[in-house]
Structures are given as C-alpha cells and as structure tokens.
Amino acid sequence: MNKQHISILGLGWLGLPLALKLQKSGYSVNGTTSSLEKLKTLAKYSFHTCRIKLEADTITGDWESFITDTNVLIINFPPKRIDNIETIHPKQIAQIIQRTPKTTKVIFVSSTSVYQNNNSLINETEKCVPEKASGHALIKAEELLQQHFGDNLTILRLAGLIGAKRHPGRFLANKKQLKNPNVPVNLIHQKDVIGLIETILEQNCFGEIINGCADIHPKRKEFYENAASKLNMPAPIFETASEERFKIIDNSKSKYLLNFTYQFANPEWIFTREYLPKISIVGAGPGNKNLLTLKAFEAIETAEIILHDNLISEEILNINTQAERIYVGRKFGDKEDQETRQDNINLLMKKHCEQGDKVVRIKSGDPYIYGRAAEEVRFLKKHKLPFCVVPGISAALAAASTANIPITERRKSNAILICTAHTADYSTAQLKGIAEMLKAGNTLALYMGLKSLDKLIPKLIAVCGNSEIPINAVSNVSRENEVVLSSTLGDIENDIKKQPLQMPVVFLIGVKPIN
C-alpha cells in the first residue's frame, strides 16, 4: 500500500514522528498544525505542511487542498482540557465529516478513557461508559465518524502514552504525592503506536476498533518506584490507598488481527539500559549542511536534545528547530577548566538518555579528529549507555576540495599528516619529526595553529631549510565567508597581519592550489 497519500491532522508529539516514519517507509505524506509559529518550524521538512484549525462551527485553513488526493486521513486531534469539551470536540469532528468524502479511509486516534473502571479486563466489545469529559467527547466523536465513514474507519484506542518527552522521570519530577498505588497501569510506547498505525496501513485493516496497550500492567506504585530507582531520583510518595478502581486494557486483538508484536511489551523497559535511545556523536563536518552525511542529517533532524559548541553553524543547528539546544563549547580565551567542561558534557548525555531523550552530540569536523570523542565514548561504555559515532568530513579534507589543493598526488606527495598546534610542545622531538615529514615532500594539515605560528613556522623552516615551502590558510572552510590565503612559510605571518583571518583556520602545508 506504499506510495499512497497519507494526510495527518495534527503534527504534534505523535503526529510528527509518525509523518517522518511513514515518509521514510515510502508513503506520500502531508500534515497540519493549528499554530502559525509551529508551522514555521515544520517548513524545513520535505513533506507539505499547512495550518488547519478546527473550530466548533468552522475550519480555519484550506481543508479542501489538504484533503485532496488523500487516500488515508489520520485524525490525531485529542480533546482539549477545557470546559464543555464533551460538546465542543464532537462539533469539531463534525466539521471534518462535512468536508471529507465518505470514501476516504480514516484512522481515528482515540483513547482507552472511553472505557469505565470496572476492575476487570476490557476488550473492544465492552460497552463504553466514560467517566471523564474527555472520554465522553471521544465516544461521541467515534460515533459520528462511524456513521459517516462506516467500514472505511478504524478506531485506535490508545492507553497512556509514554516515550520521548513523556518519560516516567519527567512525570515524577512534577509530582509530590501520587494516588492509587495498587492499580495496574495501562501504557503504550510512542514507537508501538507508530508501529500499529503503519501496520494498519500496510494490511489495509479498516472497519475495526483496536486497543493499543502494552502486554504488561505493573502496579502503579511499583512502576514509579522502579522508575525513580533507575533514574536516581527520590522515591515517590503515595497517598494511603482507599477504594481503588481500575481497568486492564486487553490488547490481544491488536496482536492476532494485525500479527503485531509490541517493542515495549513491558512499559518498564523504557528506563532499562537495553531499551534506552541511542546517543549519537555526530560529525558535522566543516559547517556547510550539504557536506553532512545522510546519517548525520537524520540524527540531527530527529534529535530531542542537541549538545553543541560554537563551531557548529546555524544552518546545521536549524535543521532541527524543535530540539532543546544546550551549548557546551568553549571559545578562545575561556578560563573554564576543560576537564570540568567535559565531565559536564558526559553527565548531560547520561542524564537525558536515561530520561528517554534522543541525544545528539554534534562536533565540528569528524568526532575522532580532535573532537574529544574518545573521552565521551569511554564514558558511555563505562556506564553501558547505547551510542553510535557518525563520521564527518574533517576540515582539512574539506579545505583541500573547496580550494583545489591536492593534498596527495602521484609523484608529489603520497601521505598527509594531520596534527594540531593546540597542545604541541614546541621544544620536543615531535615537532622535529613533523618537520622532517614535510621536508620529505609530504603534506602537513595543521589544526588550531593560528595563534601559534610564531613558534611553529621558525621550527619548520629550520628543519626544512626552505622558507619557500607553500602554505595555505583556509578560514571558515565550506561556509559562505570562507577565505583562502596562499603564501609561503617565510611570508605567511606577515600576510596574515595584512589580511586577518577569522577562526577556525586550518593550514595545508607543502602543496599549492591548482590555479
């Protein structure tokens, strides 16, 4: 059923990752938001987005264009917590019905709040007697949709939603005292909701009512105490239990009808090491977003927490305008201890990963080339946190390409040495060895050397015995304000005084650009 057109009403916490997953699976997708501000942030995605706002008596926005050519409409529009919602929400749904052909297939994202607490197992055949206003609103909406769309409608009743940004730790952080310690919890992970919807589409399963809920229903007290323990948080305090009413949502129909297996069959897996989201240590290259790998672009695009330094360009950061950005870098002249800064970065990765957030640590260039990735990887391995390292184009390689500098060439240079001046000991044999390689005709790529030229250049000239060796200083590699200054070892310092360069600068020594 791929290549069909899916329209998603509501690109929120569930709708946006759903849209991205369906698009990746080959579906044509468009979606809506009711917020003009959010519409701006959604504009960067490759699928079409528009503003649609449902009112009780009208629809603001171009619904006709939104619904045109739609094969399946996914209504992901929960009732708001406002007075008289049991009347308002069905009227909003009625506006959709009036403007949408009966032949359109529809998935309506509903809730298990339509069921009453009867202290027993509840399946889809249960007569719904909602206990809250939102439940009444949803059951009325379901009835209206069934009358109009008939067998073209599938209702997906979801248990409590957990996942990124809806982690048990976030819930505990805002609660001082919890109720109903002994009732079983009915929860479903965001990944399983997306999986259910995609399976319904793949199997063309319409005309059904399906419960979505994890297999296991731990008691509320045990669930949140376990969450607190795993996250090193204070144990929650529960009120003394009186009469406790509950329901247990039966998910068996979703499994036998769709042959579906829940990734988070036990909701407690959300805070275990095996099911934590993978931390991505991403090489962002020299700054131009077009030089990112596809894997790096996807990691940044889907991140919830982005840890970055000052060398990451705004165009790369703006790939994802919804993630929380945390600045963790340093600038020239900063006095903060580097070890303390690195410890803070490590703890931030650990904290947000354990809270269920998808963390991306962005580094300029390649993470393993002067990016301190080794320290972070050792920390993550020590704490058994899942991670991957995504390579990036290092500044030296990008500079060579953008400035047409052949850093290796047959019969001229068969090797390139990448080194840094940042931590060099200018009196040791190491620098002499570097100069000897340059003298032998190899190319030298020098990082972080702008402030150290007065110490480096004399050593290189002394060992090589040649002040005419070419050197290229490339500032802001690959960016719009890139500057290439080609000179010689003997003249480079004076040339930079005449034409000051903005950091970061990479030096390519021993080879001339192709003119």
Side-chain angles (χ1 to χ4, degrees):
M1 193 173 173
N2 286 20
K3 305 303 180 185
Q4 290 211 358
H5 186 76
I6 312 298
S7 295
I8 302 175
L9 181 67
L11 294 175
W13 178 83
L14 173 61
L16 180 55
L18 172 63
L20 293 171
K21 179 62 171 66
L22 293 180
Q23 185 184 48
K24 190 175 181 180
S25 298
Y27 292 95
S28 171
V29 176
N30 72 335
T32 76
T33 178
S34 61
S35 164
L36 283 173
E37 189 62 32
K38 188 172 182 183
L39 186 61
K40 297 175 185 177
T41 68
L42 294 171
K44 64 187 178 65
Y45 294 108
S46 57
F47 54 83
H48 178 70
T49 58
C50 62
R51 182 177 183 243
I52 297 289
K53 188 173 183 180
L54 294 180
E55 309 283 0
D57 56 354
T58 189
I59 294 180
T60 301
D62 192 351
W63 180 268
E64 184 176 350
S65 295
F66 169 68
I67 205 67
T68 298
D69 298 327
T70 295
N71 300 112
V72 180
L73 170 64
I74 299 175
I75 302 176
N76 177 40
F77 177 66
K80 294 182 179 179
R81 295 180 179 179
I82 58 175
D83 292 339
N84 206 28
I85 189 60
E86 61 269 35
T87 301
I88 295 172
H89 190 69
K91 287 182 177 180
Q92 292 171 314
I93 297 298
Q95 299 303 318
I96 297 174
I97 291 170
Q98 292 171 19
R99 294 165 174 81
T100 307
K102 293 182 177 182
T103 53
T104 306
K105 292 188 175 179
V106 175
I107 297 175
F108 179 59
V109 179
S110 186
S111 166
T112 55
S113 65
V114 299
Y115 300 122
Q116 69 275 31
N117 291 315
N118 61 4
N119 293 21
S120 65
L121 189 68
I122 290 181
N123 62 30
E124 293 83 352
T125 63
E126 186 79 22
K127 182 179 178 181
C128 294
V129 184
E131 299 184 359
K132 294 183 179 180
S134 60
H136 284 284
L138 284 169
I139 202 65
K140 289 178 183 177
E142 288 183 9
E143 291 169 354
L144 289 172
L145 291 165
Q146 285 173 319
Q147 290 169 13
H148 184 73
F149 294 104
D151 288 341
N152 286 325
L153 169 72
T154 281
I155 297 168
L156 186 58
R157 292 173 177 165
L158 300 178
L161 298 169
I162 58 174
K165 303 297 183 186
R166 294 196 181 187
H167 192 274
R170 291 177 179 269
F171 177 83
L172 287 172
N174 298 319
K175 299 288 183 179
K176 294 183 178 179
Q177 199 168 43
L178 303 181
K179 298 179 180 180
N180 303 320
N182 299 311
V183 303
V185 294
N186 299 292
L187 299 169
I188 184 170
H189 196 280
Q190 182 191 66
K191 289 184 177 179
D192 285 321
V193 178
I194 293 172
L196 280 169
I197 292 173
E198 189 165 15
T199 304
I200 290 169
L201 293 171
E202 289 171 353
Q203 298 185 16
N204 195 26
C205 181
F206 290 90
E208 299 288 348
I209 298 175
I210 302 171
N211 289 339
C213 184
D215 295 348
I216 308 299
H217 308 268
K219 288 187 176 180
R220 200 161 187 260
K221 185 173 187 290
E222 295 170 358
F223 178 74
Y224 285 108
E225 285 181 343
N226 196 4
S229 174
K230 295 290 184 182
L231 298 173
N232 297 314
M233 298 178 68
I237 299 172
F238 282 85
E239 294 180 0
T240 304
S242 53
E243 182 183 3
E244 296 179 312
R245 300 179 66 247
F246 63 89
K247 54 179 172 273
I248 300 175
I249 301 300
D250 182 0
N251 71 357
S252 57
K253 182 177 180 179
S254 67
K255 292 191 287 187
Y256 72 73
L257 180 66
L258 300 172
N259 194 28
F260 186 77
T261 300
Y262 287 82
Q263 292 184 55
F264 286 79
N266 185 341
E268 292 184 302
W269 290 345
I270 192 173
F271 41 75
T272 59
R273 287 285 185 270
E274 294 80 4
Y275 289 86
L276 290 176
K278 187 176 290 185
I279 298 168
S280 296
I281 300 175
V282 172
N288 189 319
K289 72 175 182 180
N290 294 324
L291 295 182
L292 290 170
T293 65
L294 290 175
K295 188 172 183 179
F297 190 96
E298 182 180 0
I300 295 168
E301 185 179 49
T302 58
E304 285 140 6
I305 302 291
I306 293 177
L307 307 180
H308 69 98
D309 58 37
N310 62 296
L311 294 181
I312 307 303
S313 66
E314 279 300 313
E315 69 169 327
I316 287 178
L317 290 175
N318 285 337
I319 290 171
N320 186 334
T321 54
Q322 299 194 81
E324 179 184 349
R325 296 182 192 175
I326 303 175
Y327 178 76
V328 294
R330 68 182 297 271
K331 296 180 181 179
F332 182 78
D334 283 354
K335 301 300 182 183
E336 184 182 0
D337 176 69
Q338 181 58 43
E339 186 174 345
T340 301
R341 182 183 292 106
Q342 188 60 57
D343 288 344
N344 180 54
I345 293 169
N346 294 343
L347 292 173
L348 282 169
M349 288 192 294
K350 180 176 183 291
K351 169 190 170 183
H352 287 287
C353 176
E354 289 178 339
Q355 288 185 353
D357 296 321
K358 188 172 182 182
V359 178
V360 168
R361 167 72 168 112
I362 309 183
K363 297 174 176 290
S364 62
D366 182 90
Y368 279 129
I369 299 180
Y370 308 122
R372 304 184 74 92
E375 297 174 44
E376 292 169 9
V377 165
R378 289 190 180 100
F379 175 86
L380 297 176
K381 278 188 167 290
K382 176 183 176 181
H383 292 274
K384 298 181 180 179
L385 295 169
F387 71 92
C388 68
V389 179
V390 182
I393 297 177
S394 192
L397 305 183
S401 297
T402 62
N404 294 315
I405 301 172
I407 50 179
T408 63
E409 188 176 6
R410 187 171 50 182
R411 300 190 187 96
K412 292 186 178 181
S413 172
N414 62 3
I416 177 171
L417 175 64
I418 297 177
C419 56
T420 176
H422 189 61
T423 56
D425 181 344
Y426 305 106
S427 62
T428 63
Q430 183 184 45
L431 185 55
K432 184 175 184 296
I434 290 171
E436 291 286 359
M437 287 195 66
L438 180 63
K439 183 179 180 181
N442 298 298
T443 303
L444 174 63
L446 180 67
Y447 287 68
M448 295 171 275
L450 185 62
K451 301 293 183 179
S452 308
L453 287 182
D454 59 332
K455 300 174 183 176
L456 292 164
I457 296 299
K459 294 279 186 181
L460 295 178
I461 293 175
V463 172
C464 296
N466 181 4
S467 63
E468 296 300 313
I469 291 175
I471 178 171
N472 309 277
V474 188
S475 166
N476 289 313
V477 178
S478 81
R479 307 189 191 194
E480 290 183 359
N481 58 344
E482 178 183 275
V483 175
V484 180
L485 176 61
S486 295
S487 184
T488 63
L489 289 182
D491 294 333
I492 186 64
E493 290 184 79
N494 285 330
D495 288 345
I496 288 178
K497 289 177 182 177
K498 296 175 186 176
Q499 183 181 346
L501 298 175
Q502 182 182 356
M503 291 193 289
V505 177
V506 62
F507 293 91
L508 299 178
I509 309 172
V511 63
K512 294 180 179 180
I514 299 172
N515 296 318

